[in-house]
Amino acid sequence: MALLGSASASASAQLGPRPFYLLDQMATSALKSKLSRCVNRPFFKSQFSIGHRGAPTQFPEHTKESYIAAARMGAGVLECDVTFTKDKELVCRHAQCDLHTSTDILLRPELAAKCSQPFTPADPDTGTPANAKCCTSDLTLDEFMQLKGKMDGANPNASTPQEYVKGTANWRTDLYSATGTLMTHAQSIELFKSLRVKMTPELKAPAVAMPYQGMTQQDYAQKMVDEYRAARVSPRKVLPQSFNIEDVKFWRHNTRYGKRGVYLDGRYSDPNFDPNNALTWRPNMDEIKASGVNIIAPPLWVLLTLDDAGKLVPSQYAIAAKAANLDIITWTLERSGLISQGGGWYYQGISDAVKNEGDVYTVLDVLAKQVGVKGVFSDWPATTTFYANCMNLY
């Protein structure tokens, strides 16, 4: 079942080679046989496939180029992480203070001079890494729009700003970073409308004290949904997200855009959190549902565990969320290094069951069929689109 309705049958997708490379890596199984029968079929946009910041495995995140790439790969839902500038205008950035790692601000002296913390080189004698802190709230909207997006990352050993900005992870590429067109939130809405996708904005936690120039947290939350209303976007096409459950409850009880509000569950950061022990997560799922939240979104590893035979199965967290009649989406596929080298943060606790790159489809299959997730965020949406098409998840 699609989260927000059916995608247009005419919305064809271009997947490229990666989904099929991953398929080739799979061990022989019934799942591999089923996926193999899909290889030569046409592919279409799917709302099960959510473009996480666009397609940031290869394109600078939250840029026009990244969003278009994700839509071409069949993502039926695209994400703009929303924060604000010095003059309180909403823009697409993963965090309010990530401009030093995700844009070229340090290479623009006039704008770099406005950063909260200017660039300081690494000091090998003390072991102090290179550092900077540049925030959207350091710049006006006009200044922000002068920047160019780059692949997110930094070189901690840098002695110059030019060295610092060269920090792309080795499982990404800079081949598509010659352009990186930054976007306001309103511009992203118009682009997403033209791409005929649903929209999932995330209200990012402010890095400045609130109220900010008279703007309260509720004003900020309201301002985000107001831009959809001004653009005449139906609430059925918007899934507003926040790690702050109070934002989600505010949208639910005060706006037309809250029914599909997404609670990004950040409780995994508590060192006592255990997805297989309900006593370690409060409020419980029934209480979350009773508060008006309809959709919960933890990281993918929270939804999975291993049974006595070492096979992937739903965690107690996943079972409880489903029993409470909460819809579930999860994040983030294709956002770490090689699975054959451990898979990184997103595969913690389940790495014994995922041994090679093709096992990403095993993970997707358990999430879709046993956990029952309605959508999966991906940094390379073609992978998720391929699986969704094969399983008729549109």
Side-chain angles (χ1 to χ4, degrees), residues 82-93:
V82 178
T83 186
F84 54 86
T85 60
K86 186 175 183 178
D87 45 355
K88 298 187 290 186
E89 297 296 330
L90 302 185
V91 295
C92 299
R93 282 291 92 196

Side-chain angles (χ1 to χ4, degrees), residues 18 24 316:
R18 181 163 175 78
D24 290 342
Q316 289 303 307

Side-chain angles (χ1 to χ4, degrees), residues 279-350:
L279 297 178
T280 68
W281 14 285
R282 289 286 183 265
N284 65 35
M285 298 300 177
D286 289 328
E287 291 167 337
I288 290 172
K289 179 69 176 180
S291 74
V293 174
N294 290 319
I295 306 171
I296 196 166
L300 63 87
W301 63 267
V302 168
L303 298 171
L304 301 172
T305 191
L306 305 182
D307 65 13
D308 291 341
K311 292 184 177 181
L312 286 173
V313 293
S315 67
Q316 289 303 307
Y317 177 107
I319 293 168
K322 192 171 183 179
N325 202 29
L326 286 163
D327 282 339
I328 308 169
I329 61 178
T330 191
W331 45 277
T332 303
L333 211 68
E334 304 274 52
R335 189 165 177 78
S336 53
L338 297 174
I339 291 177
S340 57
Q341 295 179 2
W345 188 85
Y346 290 93
Y347 294 92
Q348 60 185 286
I350 61 171

Side-chain angles (χ1 to χ4, degrees), residues 234-311:
S234 167
R236 294 190 303 273
K237 297 181 179 180
V238 183
L239 293 89
Q241 314 169 66
S242 181
F243 277 99
N244 181 353
I245 197 170
E246 296 304 318
D247 294 334
V248 184
K249 290 192 287 187
F250 172 79
W251 292 322
R252 182 70 175 93
H253 299 298
N254 297 280
T255 81
R256 295 173 56 233
Y257 289 85
K259 186 175 182 180
R260 291 173 174 81
V262 180
Y263 170 41
L264 296 164
D265 193 350
R267 292 177 292 176
Y268 60 83
S269 61
D270 184 335
N272 296 315
F273 175 84
D274 179 351
N276 289 300
N277 182 353
L279 297 178
T280 68
W281 14 285
R282 289 286 183 265
N284 65 35
M285 298 300 177
D286 289 328
E287 291 167 337
I288 290 172
K289 179 69 176 180
S291 74
V293 174
N294 290 319
I295 306 171
I296 196 166
L300 63 87
W301 63 267
V302 168
L303 298 171
L304 301 172
T305 191
L306 305 182
D307 65 13
D308 291 341
K311 292 184 177 181

